[in-house]
Every structure is written in C-alpha cells, then in structure tokens.
Amino acid sequence: MTEQDRVTVNDPRGPVNNGEGHQYVLYGVGADWMVRRGVESLRIAREDRVRLADRFVPPVGYRVAADRLEKPGSVVLLEAPPGSGRRAAAIMLLHGLGEDGGADEERVRFEELPATEKDETPLAPGEGDRFLFDLSGIADEEAYAKAQRRLAVYRSPVQEAGAHMVVVLPSGMEHAHSPDLEPHTVPLGRPRGVAVLTRHLRMDRMAFHSADLGSADVQRLCDRSPMRELARLAGLVKAARDSGRFGTNFAGWLDQAVHAVTDRAGEVGRQVATVRTAPERALLLATAMFEETSADTVYEAWNGLMKTVGHEEEATTELARTDFGERLAALGIERDPDGRLRFERLAYADAVRTYFWANFPGVRGNLRDWIDQAAGLRGLTTDDGVNVVVRFGERSLAVGRPDHLFDLVVRWADRATGVSCDPRAVAALELGLSHERLGGWFRRRMYECARSGPLSDGLARVLTAACLQNLGATHPDQAMVRLHYLAVRKGEAAREAREALLDLAGRDRRLYRLLINRLRDRIRREPRGAEPHLRLLTVLLMSERVPDPPPWPDLFRDWGTVFSQPPTELWNPLVSSWLNAAARDGTREMALGVMVGATHGRTAALHRLYTIACDWAGTVRHPSRAAVAALFWQHIDHAQYALTERAGAGPRTTEEAR
C-alpha cells in the first residue's frame, strides 16, 4: 500500500474521477443531481461539461494538447498518471473546441466510443464531431492490443471527416504502445491539488481564505490524493456546512471533512470489531443503507435483514429486550427532530457500507435479496427508495458484482403493474450504465434482453426508458439498436418502444439515416418477418418526419423499399402525408415525381398510388388538392406510358382509367 492509499482510505479502488465528483441524472423518479462517489458517469452532455468546466483546473501539458486538437481530423492521445484528472482533461479538450466557436454545438456529435466492446454500428463521423476514447480502465496487454486495433479503425474516418478525437491511454502500459501512436501522444502532469480544492470550494460559494487550507493534513491530501478525493473533500465541506450540525465556521467544516476522508474506514473497522452480535451489526448496516429515513422504516429494514441472513429471533419478548433507542445510541446513531435517523459523524454511513461489502463477501447475495424487499417498504418515499438503490448499486459495482444490481432491475421491473416504470429499476439500470468500468456489461445485458425471447412489459419499459434517457445520450447508436429490437415486439410496451425509437431517430439526421438503413436491411434479409420493420419504415418516411430539406435521392431508395412489398394499408398514410405536404408547400411537389419513380414502373404499385390519390382528392374538395392530384396523376401517366412503350402495348393513361 502506498502512502497515498493510506491517506485516501475511502474506496481508493474506484475508477478515476473526471474531476467533479460522480453525478447521475435519474429521470422520472423525482431526484435532482445526486453527487456520489464510487461510480464514474459516462454522460458527457453539454450541461455536464459546463458544470465540469466551472470546476476544472488544467494540468501541465494541457495547452499543448489543446493546440494539437484544434486541427480538423486531429487525434490526440493523453498519457497521465491515475488520479490526475486525465478523463476530465480529455472531456475539456473536446468541449473547448465548441466553446471557441470552432463547432456548432447543436450540430456536432459529442460521444464516447466503447473501449472494451465491439461497436454495433460503424463509426461515421461528420466534420467537427468530437469523440472520447477512454482506455484508462484497461489493465492487461491483451485487452490493450485489441483496443489499439479498434483505435486504428476509428482514426481513419475521424481524420478523413475532419472530426476530433481524444484518447486517454492506460497507465503502466507504455511498453505495449504501438510505435505509430508516439507522434500523437501528449504527456499531462498532475494539477496543483490545492488549486483543484480551492476551485471546487469557490463554486460551492464557500467563504474562506487561502491560509485556511494550510494545515498539514489538508496539504498532504492536496499533494497525494486523486482528483476524485479532492472533489469529494470539497463536497463534504459543503455537506458539513449545510447540515448545521458541525459549527458555523469554515475551519470546523473543513476539519470534519478531513476526518471523514482520512479516518472513517478505520473508525468503522474498530466499531465493528467491538460490536460482535448479529443484531447490532445488522442495525449498523441497516441504518447506513436507510440513513435519513424514519426510525420505524429503519426498524423494519433491520428486522428484514436479520431474517434474510437467517438470524433467529431472541426467545424473550420485545419488551424484555434492549429497547431500540438504546441500541441506536450505543452505535452512535441519532434521531433528528423529524424522527429520521443519521450517524453522528459526517459521512459515516458511506464508510459503513463500504466496510460491510468489502469484508463480508459471503453475505452479498443476502444483501441483494434484502434490498429487493426493503427498498419497497411502505414508509419510503420515491426518492428514499432511489437513494437506497443507489447506495446498494455503488457497493455492488465497487466489488465487481454488476449481476446483483441487474438482478434487482429484472425483479422490480417484472413485478411492476400498470403502464409506468418502476423508478427503482430505472435508477438501478441507469446507475449501471453510467459506470465507467462496468457500463459495457450493462449495455450487453440490455442487448441480450432486447433481442431474446419472452420479455415482461415491465422490463421492456425499463429498457426503453434507459435507452431514451441514458444510453441515447452516451451511446445513441447502441440505444437505437436496442430500441429497434424492443419496438418490433408485440404489445403496449412495444408501442412505447416504437415511440421512443422514433423520438431518438428524430434528434438528428445521422440517427434518422442510420435507422432507415437498418430497417431496409432487415426487410431485405427477412422478407417473411418484414412487416414490423416495414411499419416502422413507413412512419419514418412520413413527410412530417423527414429532415428538411428532404434528401430526395435517399427517399427514392427508401420509398422503393416500401413499394417493393405487396400493397398494404401502410401505403395510404405515407402517400397521403406527402400529398398534404405538396398541397401546403410548393417546394415539396418534387415528392410526387420521386414517389412515382420509386415504384420502378410496377403496374400494381402505380395503380395503388392512383387509387390513394383519388381517395385523397375526394375527401376534401379544394383547388390546391385538385391541382396536386392532377400533377400526381400526370407523373403516373408518364410512368405507365414508359412501361407500356417498353412492353410494346398501347398506353393507358389515368384519364382513361377515370
């Protein structure tokens, strides 16, 4: 163990922080930003980057990397020690391109490329797009060799398109670097720790003087701790201030925060060593998991935990045992004026959870089963339940058990009633997806579920919500693939997945084009099962969904796919939508000729178009409709004339048909 590990004892094994703490946006569950530790968010949406920029301190070498990245088609590789904020630097380098006006923030992509899994769709960057390729979590040479091959595949299209990519290299793998990476590599130093801490405190509107950070303990933390620990330290100072329980001056708040960072793990270890009975240890853990909930709720959770781990109840009646309040006081647990329980010491609950998951591995499965039931106790609000899920998820992910968290996603989702998602299941899945090291595991599980056999409506809804709200921001191509599998199923949940898929495709032209190509490919390869894909395609090709200006060559091919199928009722709304568009906007009249051309002169298809136009013109009698219908019939006449000319038969026009 290094000196740094001894100083930053609280979960030093977590992934490298982006420099601003851990954040989750839990959609639809009534929760605001929840700043946590132990899990690194992959989400790099603009609002998150702006927040990071407010707290970011550039490391040594940052300006060199920024200068190199400005050139279109540039790929910059960052080499920096763990804990130096290297991921934050990568994100800020890419973010700075947009802030300098070199890229249209609304137009360009800002995405993270998967480092340890095969991408399901080919990378097709556009000019000015920005990509993060974070390899910092790779720890073995075989995985790094695969990642470098993937990097080579990514580099060519990025350079050709005039996009930008920043790669975070793994530490300790210098001997395995490919020689051709060397010219693109920029070494970064560690930012000044005291500057990082100061920046975070200032952003939290903390009033203090530089001399207040001059103690030996604070200096040691600033000199040796990873950036995530300094961000956490600042967050704990704020928590101490906001709690109102630790004095009224900065020195007192900082002292509490320093003790929380440096001493809590040892304090918990000493307490557990003196508390030898199962009920006391169970109460300690139950309070840590349900801190800030009512005493009655903690009491229920405590009894549930003892039953789950197989503890036999005492033979005496409850009135003859040590009362609940006395047990709490003996463990350093207090009740606030509202009757909610909390530990007397700052951040003690977090340290308790970390200790139990690290030192009692044999009961982790029992803890999963306990949380399955306890997270639904009647005394919990929705936010309380989500807090419990996040606390359980943080610990499960920290010890490498993503399956425990996903098990709960499935259980809660499968038991959901009605048409709403279980907020606990959504929170648990989004937490897993946001994990830097294990997010790929959750993306693979989602893929397997979406394309597998039977799926409960509850789980389908949770997968849909996670795709639209989380995966759609971090890995939109993968979100589209999963939603496509969900959308072609049957039932109400599939309809919701279709709406989510259409919403995702409508966010930008690239996703729209990607989905259409995927649907056309499925229709071509699976003609017998083409109908659900064809239905999606026809909806996407409606005039109101097509990007403006319309890509006429693409539409010609896409309509050709629809019109190559046996005529169905799907044609009617598609054709009518474009007739309506042409009647409202003369620039859309080009659709009439393109649509007729897409039939490739097939007689049945032309007759079908003619019938649809007749019905459309007769529904509402208006000069604009009559003019559009007449023009459409002319295009059909020309197509029929060309067809009959080639066949050697006399022409038969729509006028004759009428």
Side-chain angles (χ1 to χ4, degrees):
M1 178 180 290
T2 66
E3 179 64 26
Q4 177 173 304
D5 291 330
R6 286 194 290 272
V7 173
T8 56
V9 293
N10 285 302
D11 196 19
R13 300 158 299 171
V16 175
N17 194 289
N18 61 16
E20 63 169 332
H22 304 293
Q23 304 176 333
Y24 313 110
V25 183
L26 302 180
Y27 294 87
V29 296
D32 295 324
W33 282 105
M34 291 192 289
V35 180
R36 305 281 182 184
R37 70 182 181 88
V39 180
E40 171 80 22
S41 176
L42 287 178
R43 189 180 297 272
I44 46 180
R46 177 171 170 77
E47 58 268 25
D48 303 339
R49 291 184 265 129
V50 169
R51 184 181 188 277
L52 172 56
D54 289 338
R55 291 158 174 78
F56 179 67
V57 176
V60 176
Y62 182 85
R63 189 65 258 167
V64 174
D67 290 343
R68 290 194 186 182
L69 191 64
E70 284 184 354
K71 181 182 178 181
S74 55
V75 176
V76 173
L77 289 72
L78 303 182
E79 194 171 62
S84 61
R86 50 192 172 170
R87 180 182 171 86
I91 294 173
M92 285 297 93
L93 284 167
L94 293 166
H95 178 68
L97 295 172
E99 294 301 288
D100 292 341
D104 182 354
E105 192 70 36
E106 297 299 321
R107 177 178 58 82
V108 303
R109 298 161 65 185
F110 194 125
E111 293 175 17
E112 178 159 10
L113 302 174
T116 58
E117 58 191 293
K118 184 179 180 181
D119 205 352
E120 294 152 12
T121 55
L123 182 65
E127 182 181 359
D129 286 349
R130 292 167 276 170
F131 299 99
L132 171 66
F133 193 39
D134 189 354
L135 309 181
S136 60
I138 292 178
D140 64 85
E141 292 186 18
E142 182 180 356
Y144 186 41
K146 291 180 180 178
Q148 289 187 82
R149 289 194 291 271
R150 187 171 296 116
L151 171 58
V153 172
Y154 289 150
R155 276 177 59 190
S156 294
V158 166
Q159 292 171 334
E160 292 170 4
H164 308 267
M165 180 165 66
V166 176
V167 183
V168 183
L169 295 175
S171 181
M173 289 283 178
E174 292 79 6
H175 62 283
H177 287 346
S178 173
D180 65 339
L181 299 182
E182 200 63 36
H184 306 281
T185 302
V186 178
L188 296 183
R190 185 181 185 278
R192 289 181 60 243
V194 68
V196 173
L197 179 59
T198 298
R199 188 71 173 263
H200 278 77
L201 292 171
R202 297 294 187 207
M203 291 307 301
D204 288 331
R205 292 181 168 81
M206 200 71 62
F208 66 98
H209 300 288
S210 298
D212 295 332
L213 304 179
S215 72
D217 286 341
V218 173
Q219 288 299 313
R220 187 162 53 250
L221 287 170
C222 288
D223 291 342
R224 301 172 182 175
S225 296
M227 296 301 105
R228 69 170 176 274
E229 286 297 325
L230 296 180
R232 180 171 180 257
L233 176 63
L236 289 171
V237 175
K238 180 179 183 295
R241 179 194 66 183
D242 295 347
S243 71
R245 297 190 291 135
F246 302 104
T248 58
N249 61 78
F250 179 81
W253 304 328
L254 179 61
D255 183 63
Q256 286 291 328
V258 169
H259 281 296
V261 170
T262 58
D263 300 337
R264 290 296 179 253
E267 292 172 359
V268 171
R270 290 189 290 274
Q271 182 178 25
V272 175
T274 60
V275 175
R276 308 301 299 182
T277 67
E280 272 63 37
R281 288 182 171 179
L283 181 54
L284 195 65
L285 180 56
T287 305
M289 290 298 296
F290 289 82
E291 190 179 35
E292 300 295 345
T293 64
S294 70
D296 286 355
T297 299
V298 174
Y299 182 84
E300 282 189 73
W302 171 49
N303 280 279
L305 175 56
M306 288 192 291
K307 290 178 183 177
T308 303
V309 298
H311 177 74
E312 304 245 344
E313 290 191 27
E314 299 176 35
T316 57
T317 66
E318 183 167 358
L319 288 175
R321 305 174 202 158
T322 303
D323 70 66
F324 189 52
E326 187 178 344
R327 290 179 187 267
L328 294 173
L331 294 173
I333 302 166
E334 61 184 21
R335 302 189 204 207
D336 69 11
D338 295 329
R340 291 174 174 262
L341 298 188
R342 63 193 180 196
F343 286 96
E344 295 170 356
R345 284 167 281 190
L346 180 68
Y348 199 77
D350 198 7
V352 169
R353 296 192 295 269
T354 299
Y355 184 90
F356 272 90
W357 255 267
N359 294 287
F360 294 90
V363 300
R364 290 171 187 163
N366 296 120
L367 296 179
R368 172 201 57 202
D369 297 339
W370 168 54
I371 293 298
D372 178 18
Q373 301 300 320
L377 290 173
R378 62 180 180 275
L380 296 174
T381 66
T382 299
D383 283 355
D384 288 337
V386 170
N387 280 333
V388 171
V389 171
V390 171
R391 290 164 183 168
F392 172 82
E394 287 175 346
R395 292 301 97 221
S396 296
L397 296 173
V399 299
R401 292 308 305 262
D403 54 315
H404 282 179
L405 187 58
F406 196 80
D407 284 349
L408 294 184
V409 172
V410 175
R411 294 183 193 185
W412 290 328
D414 285 349
R415 292 200 294 263
T417 58
V419 296
S420 61
C421 288
D422 188 309
R424 300 167 303 172
V426 175
L429 184 52
E430 292 197 338
L431 187 68
L433 288 169
S434 296
H435 194 278
E436 180 182 2
R437 181 168 50 88
L438 295 170
W441 187 94
F442 284 89
R443 293 193 294 273
R444 286 191 297 273
R445 287 294 290 121
M446 288 178 64
Y447 180 78
E448 292 163 3
C449 287
R451 71 190 300 261
S452 65
L455 199 67
S456 72
D457 277 1
L459 183 54
R461 287 191 173 98
V462 168
L463 296 177
T464 296
C467 282
L468 192 58
Q469 298 163 176
N470 184 290
L471 203 58
T474 61
H475 297 79
D477 297 12
Q478 293 191 20
M480 187 193 69
V481 169
R482 285 147 186 77
L483 285 173
H484 181 197
Y485 279 117
L486 294 169
V488 296
R489 291 171 174 267
K490 295 180 179 179
E492 179 62 21
R495 185 195 64 77
E496 295 167 14
R498 285 192 290 275
E499 290 301 316
L501 178 61
L502 294 170
D503 179 81
L504 181 65
R507 293 181 182 180
D508 66 61
R509 298 176 73 107
R510 186 189 66 85
L511 288 176
Y512 176 84
R513 189 69 247 163
L514 197 62
L515 178 56
I516 284 183
N517 289 342
R518 180 178 173 83
L519 291 169
R520 291 181 60 221
D521 181 64
R522 287 306 176 93
I523 292 168
R524 178 182 58 80
R525 290 194 291 112
E526 303 172 14
R528 291 187 178 180
E531 184 176 343
H533 308 290
L534 187 62
R535 287 183 178 277
L536 277 169
L537 181 60
T538 54
V539 172
L540 281 168
L541 296 177
M542 297 282 193
S543 65
E544 60 270 21
R545 292 190 182 273
V546 169
D548 195 29
W552 299 117
D554 290 338
L555 287 174
F556 178 83
R557 291 190 298 271
D558 302 336
W559 285 332
T561 299
V562 174
F563 298 150
S564 67
Q565 307 301 309
T568 70
E569 73 281 0
L570 299 178
W571 293 30
N572 293 52
L574 172 61
V575 176
S576 296
S577 74
W578 282 97
L579 293 174
N580 287 329
R584 291 191 306 268
D585 182 358
T587 64
R588 297 255 166 159
E589 286 186 356
M590 187 172 179
L592 306 180
V594 175
M595 187 172 285
V596 170
T599 65
H600 296 288
R602 285 185 289 269
T603 303
L606 291 170
H607 287 173
R608 180 69 173 172
L609 293 185
Y610 168 71
T611 302
I612 293 172
C614 287
D615 293 340
W616 175 81
T619 302
V620 176
R621 296 196 175 276
H622 191 276
S624 63
R625 285 206 169 200
V628 167
L631 182 58
F632 196 38
W633 289 328
Q634 287 180 22
H635 286 296
I636 294 174
D637 284 344
H638 291 317
Q640 288 182 322
Y641 180 82
L643 178 66
T644 53
E645 281 287 292
R646 288 195 300 270
R652 182 173 183 267
T653 67
T654 54
E655 285 294 330
E656 294 175 300
R658 290 198 293 272

